Amino acid sequence: MSMSPILSALMRNKTGAVLVAVQVALSLAILSNALHIVSVRQEVAARASGIADESSVFYINSRYLTRESAEYDAAVQRREIELLRAISGVDSVATANQMPLGNSGGNSSVSLDRKQVNQSANAAKYRSADSLIKTWQLKLLEGRDFTPADVLEVDEQVSKEEPNTSIITKALADKLWPGQSAVGKTLLFGVGEDAHATQVVGVIERLQKPWAQIGEEGELSAILPYRGLGGIPGAMYTVRTEPGQRDRVMKEAEAAMAKSAPVPVVIRVKNTLDDRKERYRADKALSWMLITVSVLLLVITASGIVGMASLWVTQRRKQIGVRRALGARRAHILRYFIAENLMITGAGIVGGVLLAIGLNQLLVSKLEMTKLPLEYLAWGTGLFFALGVIAVYGPAWRAATISPATATRTA
């Protein structure tokens, strides 16, 4: 098929062709970047927290309405742990000061030398008098878990003492000692002469911070063997249940702790999956919004192509009739309109690819987005070519079925 008649016809109808090409370009640029953002958000929301089988883990906070001594706090914690462990379906219990994805907790600057002025990293500080490795089933890559001898019990009203051992994530170990084993090394919590030194006794594969930041920063965590006493009356416990038993155990645990409390107590129970949903609710809302916008763009672009092709069919009825009278078959007419649309769509795609790359560069520089993978542009190119063919097929088929006698009628 000769392209010159198509180009000649397009030059006589430049406005419509340009508008459709611009529409395709804008749609491709927005669609490819929107779907890239959705993909990145979904990957972030699906990141492992470090806790194995999050559906079997929950945590329970008890806050007593009276203040007692550190000895009283220790006795209460031990009693409540034994109470939780005695519930049918409970696999493991540990004290904890914060939860991955919980969106609240404590962190600390980390350094390697007291002479440092700036921190080497900022790490979340998980504290537990029990084994979080066992309860959360964290993957230990090097070294060992804490022993009872490592646990430090501190009356926080009179002392700021910190444990002398720690377990850190691989991300933190790699940041502090690239290419080296962290086990046996000493790290400092804090910066300067007052920083507290601890010896790394173990390295775990992963444990997200409570705030779940994107990238390496969200994986910089440390666990310390610590039981704080004499502060806010009460404690937080994290519980692993047998598969499928979580909801029942949560209800029984809340009821048992409320019933056994010697003084008025406020109890709050929550599971890790709810934390994950809350933490990534905004990301999921953004993803659905971008998906909706992408679908609307596709519908609008397809509608524009259909409208343009239908208008041209109406305007060219006599030309089509003449071609049919001169022997053009339906396939020739159909092929003509499809080729014409592919030329317009192709021009729009070229502009769209350039615009998509430019838009992505802006997002990378302003919002710290990752670069747009080329496969998104490849898939977008194929999608819009297919969309163009599908959208123009109906009007093109109607043009191909025009009768020569009807098209050339002057009345």
Side-chain angles (χ1 to χ4, degrees):
M1 177 189 297
S2 174
M3 294 292 107
S4 55
I6 300 177
L7 290 172
S8 177
L10 288 177
M11 293 304 295
R12 291 195 300 270
N13 298 275
K14 288 181 291 201
T15 302
V18 169
L19 288 176
V20 170
V22 169
Q23 190 174 36
V24 170
L26 289 173
S27 297
L28 176 58
I30 295 172
L31 179 69
S32 56
N33 279 283
L35 294 183
H36 176 48
I37 292 172
V38 170
S39 176
V40 170
R41 291 290 92 193
Q42 293 300 316
E43 288 179 5
V44 169
R47 285 184 307 163
S49 65
I51 297 177
D53 187 15
E54 292 179 0
S55 64
S56 296
V57 175
F58 71 92
Y59 58 101
I60 181 166
N61 275 289
S62 63
R63 287 291 176 261
Y64 288 92
L65 303 182
T66 60
R67 182 179 294 279
E68 300 288 347
S69 65
E71 292 79 7
Y72 179 85
D73 288 348
V76 167
Q77 286 188 28
R78 292 187 175 93
R79 178 182 60 80
E80 289 179 334
I81 285 179
E82 292 306 316
L83 181 70
L84 292 170
R85 287 173 176 166
I87 297 174
S88 173
V90 170
D91 184 61
S92 181
V93 181
T95 58
N97 66 318
Q98 58 196 29
M99 294 291 294
L101 308 178
N103 207 33
S104 65
N107 63 323
S108 172
S109 298
V110 175
S111 58
L112 298 176
D113 193 307
R114 296 186 190 278
K115 296 180 181 180
Q116 284 184 226
V117 176
N118 299 316
Q119 66 182 19
S120 300
N122 188 280
K125 289 178 72 173
Y126 289 89
R127 295 177 170 180
S128 178
D130 307 284
S131 175
L132 288 180
I133 288 181
K134 176 184 176 183
T135 302
W136 289 346
Q137 294 184 358
L138 305 174
K139 187 175 181 180
L140 186 65
L141 300 178
E142 292 184 83
R144 63 173 176 85
D145 196 357
F146 297 127
T147 66
D150 292 315
V151 178
L152 178 66
E153 291 193 354
V154 176
D155 184 345
E156 295 179 336
Q157 296 295 315
V158 298
S159 175
K160 299 299 182 182
E161 189 178 0
E162 293 276 351
N164 296 321
T165 56
S166 62
I167 294 173
I168 65 175
T169 59
K170 187 177 187 303
L172 182 57
D174 290 343
K175 187 175 182 66
L176 298 177
W177 301 286
Q180 303 178 48
S181 172
V183 175
K185 298 279 198 309
T186 298
L187 65 81
L188 303 173
F189 286 103
V191 177
E193 293 299 326
D194 295 330
H196 176 74
T198 70
Q199 185 183 57
V200 177
V201 298
V203 176
I204 54 176
E205 181 181 39
R206 178 179 292 107
L207 181 58
Q208 280 196 46
K209 289 183 175 181
W211 313 278
Q213 295 101 318
I214 297 174
E216 176 198 67
E217 183 65 24
E219 303 284 345
L220 305 181
S221 300
I223 307 173
L224 287 83
Y226 181 91
R227 187 192 303 277
L229 306 169
I232 298 174
M236 185 172 84
Y237 310 97
T238 179
V239 181
R240 174 173 292 280
T241 69
E242 296 173 0
Q245 301 297 308
R246 187 200 66 194
D247 292 344
R248 176 187 61 80
V249 172
M250 286 175 65
K251 294 178 182 178
E252 292 186 11
E254 183 176 9
M257 288 183 63
K259 183 178 180 180
S260 66
V263 295
V265 64
V266 176
I267 296 175
R268 185 172 67 94
V269 186
K270 202 171 184 183
N271 66 70
T272 52
L273 290 185
D274 284 343
D275 278 344
R276 180 175 287 277
K277 289 178 183 177
E278 290 180 12
R279 170 61 183 82
Y280 294 114
R281 179 177 287 119
D283 297 87
K284 289 187 178 294
L286 175 64
S287 296
W288 280 113
M289 182 189 74
L290 292 175
I291 290 172
T292 301
V293 169
S294 299
V295 172
L296 289 175
L297 282 172
L298 290 175
V299 172
I300 292 171
T301 302
S303 299
I305 294 172
V306 170
M308 178 197 69
S310 297
L311 175 63
W312 286 353
V313 168
T314 301
Q315 292 176 341
R316 301 173 185 173
R317 288 177 66 86
K318 280 193 175 183
Q319 298 173 17
I320 296 168
V322 169
R323 288 193 63 190
R324 291 295 310 280
L326 293 175
R329 291 181 293 179
R330 290 182 177 181
H332 295 148
I333 304 299
L334 190 65
R335 203 160 54 229
Y336 175 92
F337 278 97
I338 291 176
E340 183 179 61
N341 179 262
L342 288 177
M343 291 177 66
I344 297 171
T345 303
I349 286 172
V350 171
V353 168
L354 297 175
L355 190 59
I357 294 173
L359 178 59
N360 179 249
Q361 290 297 322
L362 180 64
L363 293 173
V364 168
S365 62
K366 299 296 183 182
L367 302 178
E368 297 184 359
M369 279 287 297
T370 57
K371 287 188 176 181
L372 180 67
L374 294 179
E375 52 261 35
Y376 282 88
L377 296 176
W379 281 103
T381 297
L383 175 64
F384 276 93
F385 270 129
L387 180 68
V389 172
I390 294 170
V392 81
Y393 191 85
W397 179 255
R398 288 197 300 272
T401 57
I402 292 175
S403 168
T406 302
T408 57
R409 188 178 302 157
T410 56

